[in-house]
Amino acid sequence: MTEPVRLDVADGVATITLDRPEAMNSLDVATKVALRDTVTQVAEDEAVRCVVLTGTGRAFCVGQDLKEHIELLKGGTSDSLFRTVPDHYNPTVTALMTMPKPVVAAVNGVAAGAGASLAFACDFRLVADTAGFNLAFTGVALSCDTGSSWTLPRLVGRAKALELLYFPRTLSAEESLELGLATKVIPAADLASETSTLAARLAAGPTVAFGAVRRSVTYAAGHDFESSVAFEAEMMSLTGSTRDHHHAVEAFVAKEKPVYEGR
């Protein structure tokens, strides 16, 4: 029996692959636990300087496994069923959003519900031209989860976010690009190679600086200007003390290309 989540680490890039193609990478309990634990692991691993999240088969991830979901509802275990948001989805998306390193979603197929939300938590969404997004939650009479109430309005604005959540439909790759949900649309056959190129570039960069930028942008989204610039000062002090900064300045003066160590 194959594992529902695969982790491959090479040259500072951790690739997390949802591997339930027969179920369109839907999230049953075993997959949610494995994904949460894997994302947490790479977030804490200092040797990992970039994270890629992707799927196998026709889908990136279609969200909650509704076949398992209905069985749990029929079994009268709905209380434990809805613990999945605080127990699984929230820790996973929080780790994706807050880890001090870049995160890339390689959206190989449809991303629906929590699957779309996971992609929205990433810094870059490279989307195959055959893929798309669907905010499927109200289609099964549920509220949104996995951070989409926070990420989606920041990507497309409040009015469009409500429209997409109230009236779910599958957005094509091109429409996703127009709305700002996709960073770049790529021919499906080229998705892996383009993702690899971007991930390698990020993994070779100033990791602490990238992490500080991530933290600063996230912090500013929920704080006033004065608090935000004060946090920027903290991040400047943090990055200014890194070896990468010192090496970069020396390389600039010497008119050389800096080599970053990620610390």
Side-chain angles (χ1 to χ4, degrees):
M1 183 176 179
T2 60
E3 294 296 323
V5 177
R6 290 190 283 107
L7 173 63
D8 300 287
V9 181
D11 300 323
V13 177
T15 301
I16 302 170
T17 304
L18 293 166
D19 195 13
R20 296 186 73 214
E22 74 288 350
M24 298 188 75
N25 298 320
S26 59
L27 301 167
D28 62 1
V29 170
T31 306
K32 286 181 284 191
V33 170
L35 181 61
R36 179 197 62 196
D37 294 349
T38 303
V39 171
T40 302
Q41 175 186 334
V42 299
E44 297 173 350
D45 187 347
E46 293 184 359
V48 171
R49 296 171 63 183
C50 177
V51 175
V52 174
L53 180 64
T54 192
T56 54
R58 296 184 298 121
F60 173 77
C61 173
V62 295
Q64 179 72 30
D65 185 327
L66 293 181
K67 289 183 179 179
E68 181 185 74
H69 188 91
I70 192 66
E71 290 302 317
L72 291 171
L73 283 175
K74 288 179 179 178
T77 57
S78 59
D79 288 345
S80 61
L81 175 63
F82 290 104
R83 286 296 307 169
T84 197
V85 173
D87 290 350
H88 305 125
Y89 290 133
N90 286 357
T92 301
V93 77
T94 299
L96 282 175
M97 278 290 301
T98 61
M99 67 174 70
K101 62 197 73 175
V103 186
V104 179
V107 184
N108 57 295
V110 64
S117 301
L118 290 170
F120 298 158
C122 299
D123 301 326
F124 301 91
R125 284 163 299 283
L126 303 186
V127 180
D129 57 2
T130 54
F133 293 101
N134 190 313
L135 279 302
F137 302 104
T138 61
V140 288
L142 287 175
S143 181
C144 52
D145 63 24
T146 319
S148 56
S149 66
W150 195 94
T151 54
L152 186 60
R154 287 166 170 80
L155 290 170
V156 302
R158 182 179 187 274
K160 179 58 72 171
L162 288 174
E163 176 193 328
L164 296 177
L165 288 164
Y166 281 1
F167 310 114
R169 59 188 176 87
T170 299
L171 303 165
S172 68
E174 288 300 331
E175 186 176 2
S176 298
L177 181 64
E178 293 171 4
L179 290 174
L181 296 176
T183 305
K184 186 177 182 181
V185 173
I186 299 165
D190 299 331
L191 180 64
S193 62
E194 291 228 18
T195 300
S196 179
T197 298
L198 175 60
R201 179 182 179 184
L202 291 167
T207 310
V208 180
F210 287 157
V213 169
R214 285 195 101 213
R215 293 173 62 188
S216 295
V217 170
T218 301
Y219 185 92
H223 294 81
D224 60 22
F225 179 77
E226 289 80 4
S227 299
S228 298
V229 294
F231 189 79
E232 285 182 350
E234 293 180 28
M235 293 299 97
M236 189 60 73
S237 295
L238 171 67
T239 55
S241 64
T242 62
R243 291 170 59 175
D244 279 348
H245 170 65
H246 286 247
H247 291 164
V249 172
E250 292 170 357
F252 179 83
V253 172
K255 297 183 179 180
E256 298 172 348
K257 185 177 180 179
V259 176
Y260 298 114
E261 301 176 6
R263 52 190 159 199

